[in-house]
Amino acid sequence: MLVDLEITRHDAAYPWLLQWMTTYHRTQQTSTQSVAQSGVLNRVLNRIDPRMHHLQVRTSAPQDGPSHAAHFHFVPGPGRHFLRYRNAFILVDRQRQQNALEINGGEPFETISLTTLYSHRSVFEDIFAEAHKLYQQSQEGKTIIYNSMGTAWQPFGEPKRKRPLDSVALERGVKERIVEDMEAFISSRTWYLDRGIPYRRGYLLYGPPGTGKSSFIQALAGHLDFNIAILNVSERGLTDDRLNHLLTKVPRRTLVLLEDVDVAFMNRKTPGPDGFASASVTFSGLLNALDGVASAEERIIFLTTNHVERLDEALIRPGRVDMTVRLGEATQYQIEQLWDRFYAEFDAGGHAKQRFLAKVKELGLIDSVSTAALQGLFLYNKDDVEGAISMVEGLTAGHKRLEGHVGIAGHVDVK
């Protein structure tokens, strides 16, 4: 007469169900307050309507509030709960095994069991459909950042608000070219599979620090409704096997960001004081993880480096890296884009922008200063046009350090 449904904390829907139960609990409380306005049948059902009595508090701090502010959310705690959902009574049993701790994080293993009459078994599908919809609504407009924990990907911190693609100033046409290439790849899954071609795409972003590599990837992920899985190749303890395993377990609709890939090309034969000269990812291990026999398919990967001269040609061949983009120092077009982003409402006629550009040209900063340095200048002089113009000379110190490293900003090489 009864049917049971078990879900473990390893399943992606586990937190969705807890969130749904919390929301449903609040709905029940609201319905109790308005019971006087309901019909006779609803008042009778409300009297026998079960309530959750074992609660667990989850505390979060609002992003835009004072440091001492806090939000409290009550979720179903360990124990048994009774719910009435669409006139079906459901026993919810949340069990926590204290003696079975997870390897990563030391959290106890948990399960939730749902029990109802066999004739009401269809409510399970409805509950999980509602839970999934509720989760999607809570994540709308946000980008989840994943970090590696052992051999698994775990969300790192709270989801970030999607960054607008227009907030990243690249050379004319560079953003559009990459977005067009990615959209064409995403829509060509069947074409790849029908021809037996591995369905994966690789991009290499290189250039000096502060030119917008990571910011552009974050904005691109938000624009295409993807999440980001970040892995630094220079991370101590990252082995070839672990790298390969992580790249085969990438969450769905997630861009993989491999930072500092040049580390794999450094000489590891000369040991340092601790026995190692660099990270433990090897050149061959990186290549095998990207397109070896055991490498994952259905994957979009971004490689970043500040030292492209250290990379081997074997890495940047088609199949491993299909598009190479240099994000260099700010061109005149990028400087104008950044200025308009910060001061368009204060400089409607564009006269202050022309004076700023004239001073930038006089100091020789075009194609010589990073966009990060310019953004720092504008942030310091927020809403102060004249302050930005008067302080631009302070960027010349960074200009001297960048001499000898100037290349073609925004260069795109498609393979």
Side-chain angles (χ1 to χ4, degrees), residues 38 82 85 156 162 164 166 170 187 200 231 234 240 256 306 310 318 336 357 378:
S38 60
F82 287 92
Y85 177 76
F156 183 72
K162 287 183 179 179
D166 294 338
L170 300 184
S187 62
R200 48 181 177 245
L231 187 62
S234 62
D240 293 344
V256 179
N306 298 331
R310 298 178 183 172
E336 292 179 359
L357 288 174
F378 295 156

mmCIF file of all heavy atoms in Angstrom, residues 38 82 85 156 162 164 166 170 187 200 231 234 240 256 306 310 318 336 357 378:
data_model
loop_
_atom_site.group_PDB
_atom_site.id
_atom_site.type_symbol
_atom_site.label_atom_id
_atom_site.label_comp_id
_atom_site.label_asym_id
_atom_site.label_seq_id
_atom_site.Cartn_x
_atom_site.Cartn_y
_atom_site.Cartn_z
ATOM 1 N N SER A 38 -11.213 30.930 4.175
ATOM 2 C CA SER A 38 -11.358 29.786 3.289
ATOM 3 C C SER A 38 -12.693 29.091 3.535
ATOM 4 O O SER A 38 -13.436 29.411 4.453
ATOM 5 C CB SER A 38 -10.211 28.803 3.499
ATOM 6 O OG SER A 38 -10.196 28.353 4.828
ATOM 7 N N PHE A 82 5.758 15.315 8.631
ATOM 8 C CA PHE A 82 4.567 14.935 7.886
ATOM 9 C C PHE A 82 4.104 16.132 7.066
ATOM 10 O O PHE A 82 4.022 17.254 7.574
ATOM 11 C CB PHE A 82 3.445 14.471 8.818
ATOM 12 C CG PHE A 82 3.683 13.119 9.423
ATOM 13 C CD1 PHE A 82 4.312 13.008 10.656
ATOM 14 C CD2 PHE A 82 3.297 11.969 8.764
ATOM 15 C CE1 PHE A 82 4.551 11.763 11.214
ATOM 16 C CE2 PHE A 82 3.522 10.718 9.318
ATOM 17 C CZ PHE A 82 4.156 10.619 10.547
ATOM 18 N N TYR A 85 0.391 17.228 0.719
ATOM 19 C CA TYR A 85 0.606 17.880 -0.573
ATOM 20 C C TYR A 85 -0.460 17.395 -1.538
ATOM 21 O O TYR A 85 -0.534 16.196 -1.869
ATOM 22 C CB TYR A 85 2.011 17.539 -1.103
ATOM 23 C CG TYR A 85 2.314 18.101 -2.476
ATOM 24 C CD1 TYR A 85 2.621 19.447 -2.646
ATOM 25 C CD2 TYR A 85 2.274 17.282 -3.593
ATOM 26 C CE1 TYR A 85 2.891 19.970 -3.900
ATOM 27 C CE2 TYR A 85 2.552 17.784 -4.854
ATOM 28 C CZ TYR A 85 2.850 19.123 -5.005
ATOM 29 O OH TYR A 85 3.121 19.641 -6.257
ATOM 30 N N PHE A 156 31.826 27.194 -5.047
ATOM 31 C CA PHE A 156 32.751 27.998 -4.229
ATOM 32 C C PHE A 156 32.053 29.303 -3.875
ATOM 33 O O PHE A 156 31.860 30.176 -4.716
ATOM 34 C CB PHE A 156 34.035 28.273 -5.003
ATOM 35 C CG PHE A 156 35.070 29.034 -4.218
ATOM 36 C CD1 PHE A 156 35.765 28.433 -3.187
ATOM 37 C CD2 PHE A 156 35.329 30.360 -4.505
ATOM 38 C CE1 PHE A 156 36.709 29.130 -2.458
ATOM 39 C CE2 PHE A 156 36.269 31.073 -3.785
ATOM 40 C CZ PHE A 156 36.965 30.455 -2.758
ATOM 41 N N LYS A 162 25.396 37.718 -12.529
ATOM 42 C CA LYS A 162 25.936 37.674 -13.880
ATOM 43 C C LYS A 162 26.534 39.035 -14.254
ATOM 44 O O LYS A 162 25.911 40.072 -14.047
ATOM 45 C CB LYS A 162 24.852 37.291 -14.875
ATOM 46 C CG LYS A 162 24.440 35.832 -14.812
ATOM 47 C CD LYS A 162 23.417 35.499 -15.876
ATOM 48 C CE LYS A 162 23.027 34.027 -15.820
ATOM 49 N NZ LYS A 162 22.005 33.690 -16.836
ATOM 50 N N PRO A 164 27.522 41.721 -16.944
ATOM 51 C CA PRO A 164 27.150 42.060 -18.319
ATOM 52 C C PRO A 164 28.359 41.991 -19.249
ATOM 53 O O PRO A 164 29.466 42.392 -18.881
ATOM 54 C CB PRO A 164 26.619 43.499 -18.208
ATOM 55 C CG PRO A 164 26.286 43.678 -16.763
ATOM 56 C CD PRO A 164 27.242 42.821 -16.006
ATOM 57 N N ASP A 166 28.873 43.791 -21.772
ATOM 58 C CA ASP A 166 29.296 45.150 -22.125
ATOM 59 C C ASP A 166 30.217 45.762 -21.079
ATOM 60 O O ASP A 166 30.844 46.794 -21.344
ATOM 61 C CB ASP A 166 28.069 46.055 -22.307
ATOM 62 C CG ASP A 166 27.222 45.636 -23.499
ATOM 63 O OD1 ASP A 166 27.773 44.958 -24.383
ATOM 64 O OD2 ASP A 166 26.028 45.978 -23.534
ATOM 65 N N LEU A 170 36.980 45.233 -24.638
ATOM 66 C CA LEU A 170 38.023 44.626 -25.462
ATOM 67 C C LEU A 170 38.118 45.389 -26.775
ATOM 68 O O LEU A 170 37.275 46.231 -27.090
ATOM 69 C CB LEU A 170 37.723 43.152 -25.725
ATOM 70 C CG LEU A 170 37.610 42.235 -24.504
ATOM 71 C CD1 LEU A 170 37.406 40.797 -24.951
ATOM 72 C CD2 LEU A 170 38.826 42.345 -23.607
ATOM 73 N N SER A 187 25.472 25.223 -30.786
ATOM 74 C CA SER A 187 24.346 24.784 -31.611
ATOM 75 C C SER A 187 24.718 23.666 -32.585
ATOM 76 O O SER A 187 23.861 23.225 -33.359
ATOM 77 C CB SER A 187 23.788 25.973 -32.396
ATOM 78 O OG SER A 187 24.775 26.508 -33.274
ATOM 79 N N ARG A 200 34.136 19.164 -28.430
ATOM 80 C CA ARG A 200 34.792 20.032 -27.454
ATOM 81 C C ARG A 200 35.457 21.188 -28.186
ATOM 82 O O ARG A 200 35.814 21.087 -29.357
ATOM 83 C CB ARG A 200 35.793 19.263 -26.593
ATOM 84 C CG ARG A 200 36.746 18.374 -27.364
ATOM 85 C CD ARG A 200 37.679 17.654 -26.399
ATOM 86 N NE ARG A 200 38.563 16.734 -27.083
ATOM 87 C CZ ARG A 200 38.544 15.409 -26.933
ATOM 88 N NH1 ARG A 200 37.688 14.854 -26.108
ATOM 89 N NH2 ARG A 200 39.391 14.638 -27.599
ATOM 90 N N LEU A 231 40.287 26.009 -12.238
ATOM 91 C CA LEU A 231 41.358 25.143 -11.767
ATOM 92 C C LEU A 231 42.684 25.791 -12.137
ATOM 93 O O LEU A 231 42.929 26.090 -13.310
ATOM 94 C CB LEU A 231 41.252 23.755 -12.393
ATOM 95 C CG LEU A 231 42.210 22.684 -11.857
ATOM 96 C CD1 LEU A 231 41.955 22.437 -10.370
ATOM 97 C CD2 LEU A 231 42.038 21.385 -12.639
ATOM 98 N N SER A 234 48.948 25.622 -11.421
ATOM 99 C CA SER A 234 50.060 25.744 -10.482
ATOM 100 C C SER A 234 49.686 25.318 -9.068
ATOM 101 O O SER A 234 50.505 25.416 -8.152
ATOM 102 C CB SER A 234 50.565 27.192 -10.455
ATOM 103 O OG SER A 234 49.552 28.076 -10.010
ATOM 104 N N ASP A 240 48.559 14.650 -12.591
ATOM 105 C CA ASP A 240 48.001 14.374 -13.908
ATOM 106 C C ASP A 240 46.693 13.593 -13.801
ATOM 107 O O ASP A 240 45.721 13.889 -14.503
ATOM 108 C CB ASP A 240 49.005 13.582 -14.751
ATOM 109 C CG ASP A 240 50.234 14.393 -15.106
ATOM 110 O OD1 ASP A 240 50.169 15.622 -14.969
ATOM 111 O OD2 ASP A 240 51.246 13.797 -15.509
ATOM 112 N N VAL A 256 35.171 25.486 -18.383
ATOM 113 C CA VAL A 256 36.339 25.142 -17.579
ATOM 114 C C VAL A 256 37.413 26.196 -17.811
ATOM 115 O O VAL A 256 37.751 26.506 -18.961
ATOM 116 C CB VAL A 256 36.887 23.751 -17.959
ATOM 117 C CG1 VAL A 256 38.108 23.422 -17.118
ATOM 118 C CG2 VAL A 256 35.813 22.692 -17.768
ATOM 119 N N ASN A 306 50.023 34.295 -18.729
ATOM 120 C CA ASN A 306 50.701 35.579 -18.884
ATOM 121 C C ASN A 306 52.004 35.428 -19.657
ATOM 122 O O ASN A 306 52.650 36.429 -19.975
ATOM 123 C CB ASN A 306 50.990 36.206 -17.515
ATOM 124 C CG ASN A 306 49.723 36.497 -16.733
ATOM 125 O OD1 ASN A 306 48.667 36.750 -17.314
ATOM 126 N ND2 ASN A 306 49.814 36.462 -15.413
ATOM 127 N N ARG A 310 56.201 30.511 -23.236
ATOM 128 C CA ARG A 310 56.573 29.242 -22.610
ATOM 129 C C ARG A 310 55.778 28.062 -23.145
ATOM 130 O O ARG A 310 56.102 26.911 -22.839
ATOM 131 C CB ARG A 310 56.360 29.327 -21.101
ATOM 132 C CG ARG A 310 57.219 30.382 -20.395
ATOM 133 C CD ARG A 310 56.889 30.402 -18.909
ATOM 134 N NE ARG A 310 57.636 31.437 -18.196
ATOM 135 C CZ ARG A 310 57.440 31.773 -16.921
ATOM 136 N NH1 ARG A 310 56.507 31.114 -16.229
ATOM 137 N NH2 ARG A 310 58.152 32.721 -16.355
ATOM 138 N N PRO A 318 45.057 22.727 -33.380
ATOM 139 C CA PRO A 318 43.606 22.516 -33.410
ATOM 140 C C PRO A 318 43.221 21.198 -32.739
ATOM 141 O O PRO A 318 43.914 20.194 -32.864
ATOM 142 C CB PRO A 318 43.294 22.487 -34.910
ATOM 143 C CG PRO A 318 44.398 23.254 -35.547
ATOM 144 C CD PRO A 318 45.621 22.988 -34.709
ATOM 145 N N GLU A 336 38.254 54.639 -24.877
ATOM 146 C CA GLU A 336 37.005 55.360 -25.092
ATOM 147 C C GLU A 336 35.821 54.592 -24.512
ATOM 148 O O GLU A 336 34.918 55.188 -23.913
ATOM 149 C CB GLU A 336 36.805 55.596 -26.586
ATOM 150 C CG GLU A 336 37.813 56.568 -27.199
ATOM 151 C CD GLU A 336 37.600 56.749 -28.693
ATOM 152 O OE1 GLU A 336 36.670 56.098 -29.224
ATOM 153 O OE2 GLU A 336 38.338 57.534 -29.307
ATOM 154 N N LEU A 357 41.796 61.886 -23.716
ATOM 155 C CA LEU A 357 42.505 61.163 -24.766
ATOM 156 C C LEU A 357 43.741 61.918 -25.231
ATOM 157 O O LEU A 357 44.784 61.307 -25.518
ATOM 158 C CB LEU A 357 41.568 60.902 -25.944
ATOM 159 C CG LEU A 357 40.476 59.859 -25.735
ATOM 160 C CD1 LEU A 357 39.532 59.811 -26.923
ATOM 161 C CD2 LEU A 357 41.098 58.486 -25.500
ATOM 162 N N PHE A 378 39.634 55.244 -12.786
ATOM 163 C CA PHE A 378 38.258 55.728 -12.865
ATOM 164 C C PHE A 378 37.475 55.419 -11.591
ATOM 165 O O PHE A 378 36.616 56.204 -11.176
ATOM 166 C CB PHE A 378 37.569 55.103 -14.077
ATOM 167 C CG PHE A 378 38.154 55.525 -15.400
ATOM 168 C CD1 PHE A 378 38.023 54.725 -16.525
ATOM 169 C CD2 PHE A 378 38.852 56.717 -15.523
ATOM 170 C CE1 PHE A 378 38.565 55.108 -17.744
ATOM 171 C CE2 PHE A 378 39.403 57.116 -16.739
ATOM 172 C CZ PHE A 378 39.258 56.311 -17.851
#
